[in-house]
Amino acid sequence: MQQAVGASTFLAGRLAAQYVRMSTDHQQYSTDNQKRAIADFAAAQDLTIVATYEDAGKSGVTLKGRPALLQLLQDAQAITRAFSVVLVYDVSRWGRFQDVDESAHYEYLCRQAGVQVVYCAESFSYDGGAAATLMKTLKRTMAGEYSRELSEKVFIGQCRLAERGFWQGAAPGYGLQRVLVDSSGTVKGTLHHWEHKSIQTDRVIVTPGKEHEVALVRRIYDWYIHQGVGCRRIADRLNAFGICNSHGRPWKSQYISDILSSDKYVGTNIYARTSNKLSANRHRNPPSKWTRSEGAFPPLIDRATFEAAKTIRAHKTQNLSDDELLEKLGEFVNSAEDVSADAIDREAGLPARKTYSRRFGGLQNAYARVGYQPSYRGASPEVSRASRAAIQHGTREATDALIAAGHRVDISMDGTTIRVDDELVIRFAVRMILPYDGRSPRWRLRWPTYRSPDIFVILRLDAAFGARLDFYVFPRGILVPGCELSLSTGSRYFERFKMFRYSDHSILLELTERTSLETADGSLSSHPNHRYSSHADSSPQPSDS
C-alpha cells in the first residue's frame, strides 16, 4: 500500500468518500477487503470517510448498471457535496473500461469539480504529475485488457462445453427442458424457468419435456409438412384451442417458425449464434463461428422430417423475388375457381395475402400486375373503378388539406393510409351501397385488423351513380376488430353511428389540430409537441344528409 511519506500535508484533515466495487473477479476484491484497506489508508493520511458508494456484483467494463458510481459522479459535481476526496482501492475498481479515455473522463469530471480521486493500493503518487498520469494510463489499459482476455477465455470455455453437449443458454424452448447434472453426470433435477445452477462444477443438459408438449411439436410439423398449414394459421389454431406456449402466453407465428427451423429439435446443440462480449451490443455471428454438437440430446423429430420442413421454408416468401411472387399469383388466378384473399391464404404453397400487400402496396396492385380484374359481389367493373378513383381522390383531398394546415403527411404505397406528423395514422376505405342477398341496399362495415389505424375513414358511394354521399370517421375503439356489420337505412346500427357521419373531410383538420395543455397552475402550456386533441366542445356538427 502507498505510504503517507511526503503526502500527509496534502490530504490531512480532508473529508473523503470511498468507492468500492466487486464483480466476480477474486476474493481479494471483496468489498470488505477494499473497505479495510481504504480505512487503513485514510487513517494514515488523516482523512475522514463520510460517505460510501458500493457497487456489488457489477461489471466494470461499462458505466451502465453501476448506480453507485453514477451517484458518486453526480454528488461530486454538486455544490453542496460533503467531501473533496474519493478513495478507491485501485484503478481496476474504478473500472475496466475498454476505452481508457472513458475511465479518465469520469475521473476528470471529479477533478474538474474540485474532487481528487486517490487510488490507495497503487504505487504511483496522486499529485497529478506526468509520471502518475503515465502510470494511470498504463494501469487503465492493463485493466481493460484483462477483461478482454478473461471474456475470450470464458467464451472459449463455453464453446468447449457446448461441443460436449452441455446446454449454455436459458430456456431451451417448447417441448424441451433443462436438467441439472453434477460433475459425474448424475442427474440432480429439472431446472425450471428463471432457475440457475448454484455450483460451478454442475452442468446443464437438455432432454425432451412433457409428453403433451413433445406430441404438439410433432403435430406442428405434421400440420406444416403434410397439411400445408402455415405458421400464422398454426398459431391461430393453437390459440383457438386455448393452448399456451412455454411462457404461458398466446402463440405467435414467429414462435411456430422457430420450432420449425431450430436444430435443437433434432438433437443438435448450436452455440454462439450471437454474442455480446464485454457488454457490447449483441450481434449475429456468421455460421463459421458457431459451435455445433450433433446428437447432443435426444431428438423430438427425425432428421427427414426436419429437412422436409426446411425445404418448404426455403421456398417461402422471404427467399422469393417480386417476379416469382407474381408468377405464383398469376398461376393461381388462372386456375382457381375462387379467387379471393381468403382463398389465397388457404392455398398451399402460395404466399399469404399480407405478403402481396407488403411487397406491392396492396393485393389489388398485385392483381393488376398479373392482369387480373376481380369482381366484387354484384359490383360492375365500372363501379369498381369508381371505387378506386373515389378513395384516391378522397385520400388526396384530405392530404392536401392537412399539408396546407401545416402538417407533415406520409402516404402508404397503396394510397389508402396516411401518417400525420409521425404520430396519427388515418386509413381510408370506400364502401358501396349495394343490394346483398336480395335484400334492400346496404353497406358493410368492419374495422381493419391488419395494420390497425388510429382513425378509420369510410367514404360511402352510391353504386347506382358512383357519387360520394358522405364520410364516416371512426376513432380506434368504437368498432370491434374483425366484426363485420351490414348496415341499411333505418337499422339500429345506422342510428347508433350517425354521430360519426360528416359531409366532408373537415373533421380531420379538427382532429389533427394541436392544442395547448393546461398546466398545474391553470395556465396554458406553449410546448409545441403536444398530442392531438379532438376538441369535443367545438367539433363540427354531423351533417343531416
Side-chain angles (χ1 to χ4, degrees), residues 2-16:
Q2 185 175 333
Q3 301 298 318
V5 178
S8 58
T9 303
F10 177 68
L11 296 177
R14 297 171 66 179
L15 302 180

Side-chain angles (χ1 to χ4, degrees), residues 149-386:
E149 292 179 353
L150 181 61
S151 175
E152 188 63 28
K153 290 178 181 177
V154 170
F155 178 73
I156 292 175
Q158 291 172 333
C159 290
R160 295 293 176 266
L161 290 174
E163 287 179 350
R164 294 169 56 190
F166 295 117
W167 184 256
Q168 299 300 304
Y174 193 84
L176 299 169
Q177 64 180 358
R178 295 179 301 154
V179 175
L180 188 66
V181 298
D182 61 20
S183 57
S184 63
T186 303
V187 174
K188 301 179 67 175
T190 301
L191 284 177
H192 301 289
H193 289 309
W194 307 112
E195 291 185 346
H196 305 277
K197 67 176 187 178
S198 57
I199 302 177
Q200 189 173 8
T201 56
D202 285 348
R203 298 289 178 255
V204 177
I205 61 174
V206 169
T207 64
K210 299 176 182 178
E211 292 185 7
H212 70 273
E213 292 187 0
V214 174
L216 183 56
V217 169
R218 293 168 179 166
R219 178 61 60 88
I220 288 174
Y221 272 86
D222 179 67
W223 284 339
Y224 188 76
I225 297 172
H226 302 295
Q227 299 184 29
V229 184
C231 296
R232 175 71 269 169
R233 291 174 57 200
I234 291 176
D236 291 341
R237 182 177 294 184
L238 295 177
N239 292 330
F241 290 156
I243 300 175
C244 297
N245 62 16
S246 55
H247 299 285
R249 300 170 185 166
W251 289 87
K252 296 182 180 180
S253 57
Q254 184 59 49
Y255 301 159
I256 304 299
S257 178
D258 291 342
I259 289 178
L260 294 169
S261 61
S262 180
D263 295 76
K264 60 192 176 187
Y265 289 102
V266 289
T268 300
N269 189 15
I270 299 182
Y271 181 69
R273 291 178 186 266
T274 63
S275 59
N276 58 335
K277 299 178 183 178
L278 299 171
S279 299
N281 293 331
R282 183 174 297 275
H283 67 276
R284 294 184 178 276
N285 296 321
S288 59
K289 298 290 185 180
W290 297 355
T291 298
R292 300 179 63 95
S293 177
E294 303 284 347
F297 33 83
L300 270 64
I301 59 170
D302 57 76
R303 174 61 67 175
T305 301
F306 181 78
E307 292 298 332
K310 183 177 180 180
T311 301
I312 295 175
R313 289 182 56 79
H315 293 85
K316 285 295 182 180
T317 16
Q318 64 265 31
N319 298 315
L320 296 179
S321 65
D322 289 354
D323 291 339
E324 290 172 325
L325 287 175
L326 293 175
E327 181 182 358
K328 287 180 174 290
L329 181 62
E331 294 175 353
F332 173 73
V333 299
N334 290 328
S335 60
E337 296 181 0
D338 174 29
V339 178
S340 65
D342 291 338
I344 290 175
D345 283 343
R346 290 194 301 266
E347 182 69 12
L350 185 65
R353 57 177 163 177
K354 291 183 180 180
T355 300
Y356 287 103
S357 296
R358 184 175 62 251
R359 288 283 191 98
F360 304 105
L363 187 56
Q364 303 305 318
N365 292 342
Y367 283 153
R369 294 281 292 271
V370 297
Y372 174 70
Q373 179 65 49
S375 59
Y376 296 96
R377 305 178 74 172
S380 64
E382 292 77 11
V383 172
S384 299
R385 284 193 291 270

Side-chain angles (χ1 to χ4, degrees), residues 127-136:
D127 56 4
T133 300
L134 181 62
M135 285 298 298
K136 276 195 288 188

